[in-house]
Amino acid sequence: MKNQKILYLMSVPVVIYVFIFNYLPVWGWTMAFQNYRPGRSFSEQEWVGFEHFIALFQDNHFYLVLRNTLVMSVMLLIAGFIIPIIFAVLLNELKDSLFKRSVQTISYLPHFVSWVVVASIVTKMLSTDGGIVNEVLVSLNILDKPVQFMAQGHLFWLIVTVADVWKEMGWNSIIFLAAMAGIDPQLYEAARVDGAGRWRRIWHVTLPGIRPTIMVILILSIGNMISIGFERQLLLGNSLVREYSEVLELYALNYGIGMGRYSYGTAISIFNSIVSIILLLLANGLFKRLTKTSVM
Amino acid sequence: MFKLNRKKSTLFQTSTTEKLFDITNYVLMAFIIVIMLYPFLNVLAISLNDSTDTVRGGIYIFPREFTLENYRVIMEYDSLLIGFRNSVLRTVIGTVLGLFVCSMVAYTLSRQDFQARNVISVIIVLTMFFSGGLVPTYMLMRDLGLINTFAIYILPLLASAWNIIIIRSFMDGLPLALQESAKVDGANDFTIYWKIILPICKPVLATIALFIAVMQWNMWFDTYIYNSANPALTTLQYELMKILQNTTASTGAGIDSVRGSGAEAATRVSPESIRMAITIVTIVPILLVYPFLQRYFVKGMTLGAIK
């Protein structure tokens, strides 16, 4: 103990810090079961049980928000998971390493800018005056006249998904490319000798080679899928597309902090967390059974 | 080069489908480059183009009537200067302190002989799987008196489990003999960490520094939630966000927020040019660093995610 004093001094403050900033907010979940009033001590709070959860489930708006959250989660999960794999596979097939490196470097670029910047760029690209998307679509005669994409509720989910893929595709492909670099080149040679073409080599060598990585990333993404946050929705949304853009976290933000209904906002956050945990456990259990790989 | 290919093709009979695959792949990748780069070039071109001319449309990747006027105008916009200063400050302070805290605790966790190693590991790793959520976190910040302070940009983001794990994985791979010889020479644990471990951890520290810096520079919603009432604590991202929200909600409202910089300027400068110039100012600092750190972060990402 004595000779490890310095190691304790170096780590215990961080543990205290983690308790305050990460564990105390979880203690705050008790607020959802109270009629929380700021300024009162914990023992003075009025306990109301599941009242706020019942109110939540009786609110019609909640189901709209839940729908938006689930649909966007699934779209972001599928696109944000599959497209980086395809991109990594295709990138891996490039023989020219300078070109390969250039594509890779350029594809990371959007990852480094904020969602604020991405929202600014997306709005510009989709605008009716001078937005490249409208110009291309009109000149190809796909559209008769420019469309105000950002004002179309039914396009909002697609816009968020495409923006997300644009921003994170390159970055998310790093891990798959790294896994591909670890595949034994002799396997490719052997497949070639056996007469396997490009697609067969991808199908029978590359994809099985990165299967463990795919599994881990998939399970992690499923665990995070409902916690999609509110950043994208808040920045890309506007009053015209609200019915499609509002998600659970945004709902918690508006009610919890905006209107000062702290207990209700906390109940929304708890609901959000519980659904994520259930999804994570389900996914993990499923994959354990199917593939004998597990992250937990 | 060509000879080599031909030799290969006789061995493995490169079929036309193989060639077709290559061509399609190259075209697709070139297309991806265009999609990734065009938006940035377009924004840059608009920000460098005369604003009244921009309204006519047709600006793609080159400005038609080159001017630095848009940049001159945003330089007069006080909130932006304050925001820029705060963004730089939070990025520098947050990165230095975050790097220190994460690497220090990572070092203690990499020490096989440290008694509390497993307990502390579990406490830290658990934080990756849950969070209190928006409202409880907000209430905590309020109770700690952090709302409307600069400290809220630094404190809650100091220790990140993910960063600690990545640094620790790197340290786990270092030879033990290094530390032992230092110990024989009488160095204490902190000295070993500071003088011996940190210098050899440069690659992973560079990666984590980039991660923290990008996160800090790009953060806007802490300003939005906690500090929006205090103009002195604004950040660059938040200012851009306000202008963006104004222009998308109702075109024209954005001009009012910029108009503070002088009526004369407002008549000549459209909100779009302003927005694009601010967007560029927000992007450039980060884009200057990432190509240099790329070889580190590719390694860092791989290490962190596989282990």
Side-chain angles (χ1 to χ4, degrees):
Chain A
M1 180 76 193
K2 198 177 161 241
N3 58 0
Q4 297 204 328
K5 202 175 71 190
I6 294 175
L7 286 178
Y8 278 102
L9 275 175
M10 288 165 76
S11 56
V12 170
V14 181
V15 172
I16 296 169
Y17 166 92
V18 167
F19 258 107
I20 296 174
F21 284 94
N22 294 89
Y23 287 82
L24 273 187
V26 181
W27 169 250
W29 278 19
T30 52
M31 276 194 295
F33 305 97
Q34 307 166 334
N35 264 333
Y36 180 82
R37 295 268 155 72
R40 283 193 195 171
S41 77
F42 184 72
S43 57
E44 289 167 344
Q45 300 290 349
E46 180 196 347
W47 291 83
V48 294
F50 286 92
E51 198 181 274
H52 295 293
F53 289 92
I54 294 167
L56 181 66
F57 294 130
Q58 282 171 348
D59 181 9
N60 281 331
H61 191 61
F62 166 73
Y63 294 98
L64 192 75
V65 172
L66 183 63
R67 175 201 70 172
N68 294 342
T69 311
L70 289 173
V71 172
M72 272 186 270
S73 302
V74 172
M75 286 176 77
L76 287 168
L77 174 78
I78 295 173
F81 172 71
I82 294 174
I83 294 176
I85 296 178
I86 298 173
F87 177 60
V89 166
L90 293 177
L91 205 56
N92 196 46
E93 293 294 321
L94 291 179
K95 289 177 201 115
D96 184 340
S97 82
L98 181 69
F99 183 63
K100 185 175 164 182
R101 266 212 314 276
S102 316
V103 178
Q104 222 180 328
T105 307
I106 290 166
S107 72
Y108 302 152
L109 204 147
H111 169 78
F112 288 93
V113 303
S114 66
W115 269 107
V116 181
V117 167
V118 174
S120 165
I121 286 174
V122 167
T123 312
K124 172 66 204 144
M125 294 302 126
L126 295 179
S127 76
T128 42
D129 39 46
I132 191 77
V133 176
N134 269 314
E135 289 199 6
V136 168
L137 291 180
V138 169
S139 66
L140 291 175
N141 284 325
I142 297 173
L143 290 178
D144 306 331
K145 56 178 172 34
V147 171
Q148 273 204 315
F149 290 103
M150 299 303 284
Q152 309 290 319
H154 62 279
L155 288 178
F156 184 79
W157 296 337
L158 187 67
I159 291 172
V160 167
T161 309
V162 171
D164 191 77
V165 167
W166 181 75
K167 188 174 190 296
E168 304 297 347
M169 179 179 84
W171 186 254
N172 290 340
S173 72
I174 293 181
I175 183 76
F176 299 113
L177 279 166
M180 284 173 204
I183 298 174
D184 187 353
Q186 286 187 338
L187 289 175
Y188 286 103
E189 290 301 313
R192 279 187 118 170
V193 173
D194 290 347
R198 227 25 180 298
W199 290 113
R200 310 219 77 174
R201 290 202 297 268
I202 291 173
W203 192 252
H204 293 291
V205 182
T206 309
L207 288 178
I210 59 167
R211 187 146 96 209
T213 313
I214 292 180
M215 290 303 169
V216 172
I217 300 294
L218 181 61
I219 296 166
L220 287 175
S221 342
I222 292 173
N224 289 326
M225 67 185 268
I226 206 173
S227 314
I228 51 175
F230 57 90
E231 219 182 332
R232 291 165 279 212
Q233 287 75 17
L234 196 152
L235 291 169
L236 286 165
N238 56 59
S239 49
L240 298 168
V241 297
R242 214 212 200 108
E243 289 211 345
Y244 295 87
S245 70
E246 205 172 14
V247 286
L248 279 169
E249 286 281 290
L250 209 52
Y251 185 51
L253 176 77
N254 291 337
Y255 277 84
I257 297 167
M259 294 184 187
R261 292 175 62 183
Y262 300 115
S263 294
Y264 192 61
T266 310
I268 301 169
S269 291
I270 293 179
F271 177 79
N272 202 350
S273 300
I274 289 173
V275 178
S276 331
I277 292 166
I278 291 173
L279 286 174
L280 179 66
L281 293 177
L282 275 180
N284 196 45
L286 194 69
F287 283 109
K288 222 177 195 170
R289 190 170 287 180
L290 289 178
T291 64
K292 317 254 183 294
T293 12
S294 159
V295 284
M296 299 207 299
Chain B
M1 191 67 195
F2 277 98
K3 262 181 193 156
L4 202 77
N5 278 343
R6 197 153 295 155
K7 215 169 156 191
K8 265 188 182 168
S9 65
T10 49
L11 250 175
F12 293 113
Q13 292 161 11
T14 307
S15 62
T16 37
T17 47
E18 295 253 324
K19 267 185 207 144
L20 199 68
F21 179 97
D22 279 331
I23 293 165
T24 321
N25 200 8
Y26 270 89
V27 171
L28 195 70
M29 290 300 158
F31 182 64
I32 285 174
I33 292 183
V34 171
I35 288 180
M36 294 293 166
L37 281 183
Y38 175 79
F40 292 105
L41 295 175
N42 186 230
V43 167
L44 184 66
I46 293 170
S47 77
L48 290 171
N49 197 61
D50 180 79
S51 55
T52 40
D53 178 64
T54 301
V55 182
R56 282 171 40 219
I59 309 286
Y60 300 102
I61 58 173
F62 295 108
R64 190 165 44 214
E65 286 185 27
F66 180 86
T67 174
L68 289 172
E69 179 65 12
N70 301 319
Y71 287 92
R72 199 191 61 75
V73 169
I74 62 171
M75 288 306 154
E76 286 170 10
Y77 183 31
D78 283 345
S79 307
L80 272 184
L81 291 180
I82 297 168
F84 189 83
R85 193 201 62 199
N86 285 334
S87 286
V88 170
L89 269 181
R90 68 177 289 176
T91 303
V92 172
I93 298 173
T95 306
V96 171
L97 287 182
L99 217 48
F100 175 67
V101 169
C102 291
S103 62
M104 188 167 67
V105 74
Y107 170 68
T108 67
L109 296 181
S110 75
R111 281 279 297 263
Q112 300 278 343
D113 58 327
F114 182 38
Q115 294 148 348
R117 181 170 174 251
N118 290 331
V119 183
I120 295 176
S121 288
V122 170
I123 291 173
I124 289 173
V125 168
L126 273 183
T127 63
M128 289 172 74
F129 296 101
F130 63 85
S131 78
L134 219 52
V135 180
T137 307
Y138 178 84
M139 302 305 288
L140 176 75
M141 297 305 160
R142 218 191 46 178
D143 294 344
L144 292 173
L146 288 175
I147 288 182
N148 281 324
T149 64
F150 183 79
I152 209 164
Y153 294 146
I154 308 295
L155 274 179
L157 304 168
L158 269 187
S160 129
W162 182 250
N163 293 347
I164 293 171
I165 291 170
I166 295 177
I167 300 176
R168 186 206 145 155
S169 314
F170 188 90
M171 288 175 173
D172 280 343
L174 298 175
L176 210 65
L178 269 173
Q179 306 193 33
E180 275 161 0
S181 65
K183 218 162 207 175
V184 172
D185 292 344
N188 72 33
D189 291 323
F190 186 80
T191 320
I192 295 174
Y193 152 73
W194 190 254
K195 292 248 169 82
I196 295 171
I197 301 298
L198 276 194
I200 24 179
C201 285
K202 262 183 205 150
V204 74
L205 294 179
T207 311
I208 301 300
L210 180 74
F211 287 177
I212 303 176
V214 169
M215 174 202 64
Q216 281 282 1
W217 181 259
N218 286 341
M219 198 76 113
W220 61 275
F221 60 81
D222 49 7
T223 316
Y224 175 77
I225 294 175
Y226 304 119
N227 286 352
S228 56
N230 193 341
L233 291 173
T234 191
T235 51
L236 192 57
Q237 304 283 348
Y238 179 61
E239 288 303 315
L240 177 62
M241 181 261 177
K242 276 198 297 189
I243 290 170
L244 181 72
Q245 291 304 93
N246 283 340
T247 41
T248 47
S250 59
T251 316
I255 314 168
D256 295 330
S257 60
V258 181
R259 201 162 266 165
S261 55
E264 185 222 12
T267 51
R268 278 185 289 127
V269 178
S270 75
E272 177 165 287
S273 317
I274 290 292
R275 213 170 71 222
M276 296 305 139
I278 299 172
T279 306
I280 291 296
V281 172
T282 318
I283 297 172
V284 163
I286 281 298
L287 290 201
L288 287 180
V289 289
Y290 98 91
F292 300 103
L293 292 167
Q294 188 180 339
R295 67 198 171 102
Y296 293 127
F297 70 66
V298 172
K299 253 185 229 150
M301 275 279 288
T302 320
L303 197 70
I306 287 179
K307 286 211 171 164

